[in-house]
Amino acid sequence: MNNPTSFGASTDVFGHPRGLPTLFFTEMWERMSYYGMRALLVLFMTTAMQDGGLGITAANAAAIYGLYTGAVYFMGLSGGWVADRLIGSQKAIWYGAIIIMCGHIVLAVPTDESFFVGLVLVVLGTGLLKPNISALVGLLYKAGDPRRDAGYSIYYMGINLGSVIGNLVCGYLAVSMGYHWAFGAAAVGMALGLLYFRTKLDSLEGHGSEASEPMTQSAEKKSWGVIAFIMAGIATVTVLGIAGVITFDPVTIAGYTAVIFTIIFFLYFGYIFFLGQLDETEKKGMLALFLICVASTLFWSGFEQAGSSMNLFAQDHTNRMIGSFEIPTAWFQGLNSVYIIVLSPFIAALWINLGKKVYNPTSGIKCAIGLLIMASGFLVMFSAATYAAQGMKVAPYWLVVTYFLHSVGELCLSPIALSAVSKLSPKRFAGQMMGVFVLTYSIGNIVAGLLATGYDPKNVSTLPGLYYDIATISLIAGAVILVLMIFVTQKWEKAVETATNDQSEQEAKAATAS
């Protein structure tokens, strides 16, 4: 039975809007397809052609991987704009899922030419779907609804459950039946998400069915013209690249792309800071947020070794035999999602209890701690790589421990950083600052690919140095950020929080008086 609460939302399913399961399972299947394919990318690209791969060098494969994962986040910026101004979140999710499914179908075709076409389609589709399905979760709840945070926590579990399923299914199929069967399974996963979303569309009760900030008819027509021009350009470059008319050096392109994204970040951040007419408190909040952005970029630069250098390490230098069964390489990447699902309640409880009994760390301090914990994981990998460089295959527990530390670090940084963006950004720039913050994901992913190009499978002695450098840089940066957060920006964060609370109280009083 429908039981409307005082917040006006129906609570058909465990006290939450009945649209939440729709988005939960749609995102679960989309993430199954994304992470299942992502875990195999570098492995497929570096596998010899006679064994069903592309025979690409490890350096080029790592750079392509970084470009791909970085582009997925970057395209989310335009995907959110298309939904807000042109088609609405529901259509963006629907069409994005169709494009993703088509991308995986193309990847499943056993030809070299289809591979890069499939990647481009998955990037474009994910850019449409991912930001809008996340935003639609929030639209299910009215302002002030206390169930919102719990709703997002449930939704986040769907993401990680999909990742576990994707790594298990696609990882097994890649070994037992071949990579293209695994890519086909990813397409099936997205198709299941599509069907579920379409059949349960009514549960969303019209949320996101239309553009939230529609354009005038003439402006809309021009926008579609620009989009068509850009898509034609992407298609042309892809076709010319496949035909060999133009050639690309993935490592060089990744380097330039990282520089361009970084410049965009500084220009946009600087524009808001210097020309946004911020008051003193808002500027302090922005400076604290800048340090969190630095921590986020460095974190993902290390964390995303999971799909590149650590993936190859699991394949080539880890003893994956348990009796007569060999653990598929991709299964190790599923550990992160398992840890996230298991550890999330404990980390959340830790922060709550610290705040009540001892000390409530600010967002910046938590993010710095997360970076330091991630860095400690690479000290573990440095030790493992040192043994591997001596010609030994190491035990799986090195990776198990590393993924545990990386997952704890992620829980300390990722959700906290997102919350910090909403708290520390000036209210009138909150949406734009979230877009600027997403650039740290793109930059971090591309830098991760560039770092992994330093790994030469034919010269394993390079691997300990790679992991040592990542650990050292992250530890030093994490320590510096932690010190700055404790002695400088901690009071700035609290000043912003106090100002925000005072403003909320004044708005509440004004609303009561009226």
Side-chain angles (χ1 to χ4, degrees), residues 357-499:
K357 299 178 180 178
V358 185
Y359 165 70
N360 185 22
T362 61
S363 300
I365 291 174
K366 292 174 184 176
C367 290
I369 292 172
L371 178 59
L372 290 170
I373 294 173
M374 184 279 294
S376 69
F378 280 104
L379 293 178
V380 176
M381 286 306 299
F382 167 72
S383 299
T386 301
Y387 287 118
Q390 297 171 12
M392 295 183 286
K393 282 204 169 187
V394 302
Y397 61 74
W398 293 99
L399 285 168
V400 172
V401 172
T402 298
Y403 279 118
F404 172 80
L405 292 170
H406 284 189
S407 300
V408 173
E410 180 184 356
L411 286 170
C412 290
L413 182 141
S414 184
I416 302 300
L418 287 171
S419 175
V421 175
S422 64
K423 287 192 298 184
L424 298 177
S425 300
K427 278 192 174 182
R428 58 194 179 281
F429 293 114
Q432 294 177 65
M433 281 307 302
M434 186 60 77
V436 172
F437 179 74
V438 168
L439 280 174
T440 67
Y441 297 165
S442 294
I443 298 167
N445 274 267
I446 296 173
V447 172
L450 288 170
L451 289 172
T453 62
Y455 168 44
D456 181 2
K458 297 178 181 178
N459 184 12
V460 188
S461 62
T462 61
L463 199 52
L466 170 64
Y467 292 143
Y468 179 81
D469 289 343
I470 295 174
T472 302
I473 293 171
S474 299
L475 284 171
I476 293 173
V480 171
I481 293 172
L482 181 61
V483 170
L484 289 174
M485 288 294 183
I486 292 174
F487 294 103
V488 182
T489 64
Q490 179 176 211
K491 54 188 176 185
W492 294 351
E493 283 194 49
K494 291 181 178 178
V496 172
E497 186 176 347
T498 300

Side-chain angles (χ1 to χ4, degrees), residues 244-476:
V245 176
I246 54 178
T247 58
F248 303 98
D249 178 3
V251 178
T252 302
I253 292 175
Y256 283 127
T257 304
V259 171
I260 291 170
F261 284 3
T262 303
I263 291 173
I264 293 172
F265 170 84
F266 277 105
L267 287 176
Y268 216 127
F269 195 99
Y271 168 77
I272 293 174
F273 186 85
F274 292 108
L275 302 177
Q277 298 181 335
L278 309 183
D279 60 32
E280 196 65 27
T281 300
E282 289 174 328
K283 285 187 174 181
K284 289 179 178 179
M286 287 285 285
L287 289 173
L289 185 56
F290 177 79
L291 289 178
I292 291 174
C293 288
V294 173
S296 175
T297 302
L298 291 171
F299 179 88
W300 296 113
S301 299
F303 183 91
E304 282 298 330
Q305 295 300 312
S308 50
S309 68
M310 288 172 61
N311 210 3
L312 292 172
F313 183 88
Q315 175 183 257
D316 300 331
H317 306 296
T318 301
N319 180 6
R320 294 179 284 113
M321 298 301 299
I322 299 179
S324 59
F325 176 72
E326 185 175 37
I327 304 171
T329 303
W331 284 16
F332 285 96
Q333 290 192 56
L335 287 171
N336 170 246
S337 294
V338 172
Y339 285 138
I340 294 295
I341 292 171
V342 173
L343 295 175
S344 290
F346 296 100
I347 298 296
L350 172 65
W351 298 134
I352 292 172
N353 288 323
L354 274 177
K356 288 180 178 178
K357 299 178 180 178
V358 185
Y359 165 70
N360 185 22
T362 61
S363 300
I365 291 174
K366 292 174 184 176
C367 290
I369 292 172
L371 178 59
L372 290 170
I373 294 173
M374 184 279 294
S376 69
F378 280 104
L379 293 178
V380 176
M381 286 306 299
F382 167 72
S383 299
T386 301
Y387 287 118
Q390 297 171 12
M392 295 183 286
K393 282 204 169 187
V394 302
Y397 61 74
W398 293 99
L399 285 168
V400 172
V401 172
T402 298
Y403 279 118
F404 172 80
L405 292 170
H406 284 189
S407 300
V408 173
E410 180 184 356
L411 286 170
C412 290
L413 182 141
S414 184
I416 302 300
L418 287 171
S419 175
V421 175
S422 64
K423 287 192 298 184
L424 298 177
S425 300
K427 278 192 174 182
R428 58 194 179 281
F429 293 114
Q432 294 177 65
M433 281 307 302
M434 186 60 77
V436 172
F437 179 74
V438 168
L439 280 174
T440 67
Y441 297 165
S442 294
I443 298 167
N445 274 267
I446 296 173
V447 172
L450 288 170
L451 289 172
T453 62
Y455 168 44
D456 181 2
K458 297 178 181 178
N459 184 12
V460 188
S461 62
T462 61
L463 199 52
L466 170 64
Y467 292 143
Y468 179 81
D469 289 343
I470 295 174
T472 302
I473 293 171
S474 299
L475 284 171
I476 293 173

Side-chain angles (χ1 to χ4, degrees), residues 20 35 72 91 102-103 132 135 169 194 212 214 231 276 309 360 364-365 430 470:
L20 185 61
Y35 283 108
V72 164
K91 290 187 180 71
C102 290
N132 293 302
V169 173
L194 262 171
S212 58
M231 292 299 104
S309 68
N360 185 22
I365 291 174
I470 295 174

Side-chain angles (χ1 to χ4, degrees), residues 1-305:
M1 184 177 176
N2 225 13
N3 296 315
T5 69
S6 58
F7 292 94
S10 56
T11 56
D12 288 352
V13 183
F14 300 113
H16 285 273
R18 60 194 184 96
L20 185 61
T22 301
L23 302 180
F24 175 97
F25 286 108
T26 302
E27 178 68 340
M28 183 191 78
W29 287 116
E30 186 274 329
R31 290 290 92 181
M32 175 268 174
S33 70
Y34 176 79
Y35 283 108
M37 182 271 286
R38 170 183 170 274
L40 303 175
L41 276 184
V42 170
L43 302 179
F44 172 67
M45 286 189 281
T46 55
T47 298
M49 296 182 71
Q50 62 267 29
D51 295 325
L54 294 182
I56 294 176
T57 65
N60 283 339
I64 292 170
Y65 172 84
L67 283 168
Y68 166 74
T69 53
V72 164
Y73 287 111
F74 186 75
M75 289 304 296
L77 301 178
S78 57
W81 183 88
V82 168
D84 289 344
R85 307 305 298 273
L86 296 173
I87 62 176
S89 296
Q90 288 188 18
K91 290 187 180 71
I93 294 168
W94 173 250
Y95 292 121
I98 290 174
I99 296 170
I100 292 170
M101 183 183 68
C102 290
H104 289 303
I105 291 172
V106 172
L107 285 168
V109 177
T111 63
D112 296 345
E113 292 78 13
S114 65
F115 178 72
F116 293 103
V117 176
L119 285 188
V120 170
L121 289 173
V122 173
V123 166
L124 295 175
T126 306
L128 264 181
L129 183 147
K130 191 71 178 76
N132 293 302
I133 195 169
S134 298
L136 197 49
V137 173
L139 292 178
L140 297 177
Y141 302 88
K142 289 194 174 183
D145 192 330
R147 303 170 300 162
R148 183 191 297 266
D149 288 347
Y152 268 107
S153 296
I154 294 170
Y155 169 76
Y156 196 59
M157 290 300 103
I159 293 174
N160 287 285
L161 184 58
S163 174
V164 173
I165 295 171
N167 283 298
L168 288 176
V169 173
C170 295
Y172 177 76
L173 288 175
V175 173
S176 61
M177 301 184 70
Y179 287 106
H180 294 289
W181 284 92
F183 295 146
V188 172
M190 191 66 263
L192 290 172
L194 262 171
L195 290 173
Y196 190 85
F197 182 75
R198 176 56 70 180
T199 57
K200 299 292 185 179
L201 204 57
D202 290 345
S203 67
L204 299 177
E205 300 177 347
H207 293 296
S209 59
E210 302 292 339
S212 58
E213 299 178 43
M215 309 173 76
T216 63
Q217 190 172 3
S218 60
E220 182 177 339
K221 186 176 180 180
K222 290 178 182 177
S223 297
W224 282 119
V226 172
I227 291 171
F229 178 78
I230 293 172
M231 292 299 104
I234 293 173
T236 301
V237 172
T238 303
V239 170
L240 291 176
I242 293 173
V245 176
I246 54 178
T247 58
F248 303 98
D249 178 3
V251 178
T252 302
I253 292 175
Y256 283 127
T257 304
V259 171
I260 291 170
F261 284 3
T262 303
I263 291 173
I264 293 172
F265 170 84
F266 277 105
L267 287 176
Y268 216 127
F269 195 99
Y271 168 77
I272 293 174
F273 186 85
F274 292 108
L275 302 177
Q277 298 181 335
L278 309 183
D279 60 32
E280 196 65 27
T281 300
E282 289 174 328
K283 285 187 174 181
K284 289 179 178 179
M286 287 285 285
L287 289 173
L289 185 56
F290 177 79
L291 289 178
I292 291 174
C293 288
V294 173
S296 175
T297 302
L298 291 171
F299 179 88
W300 296 113
S301 299
F303 183 91
E304 282 298 330
Q305 295 300 312

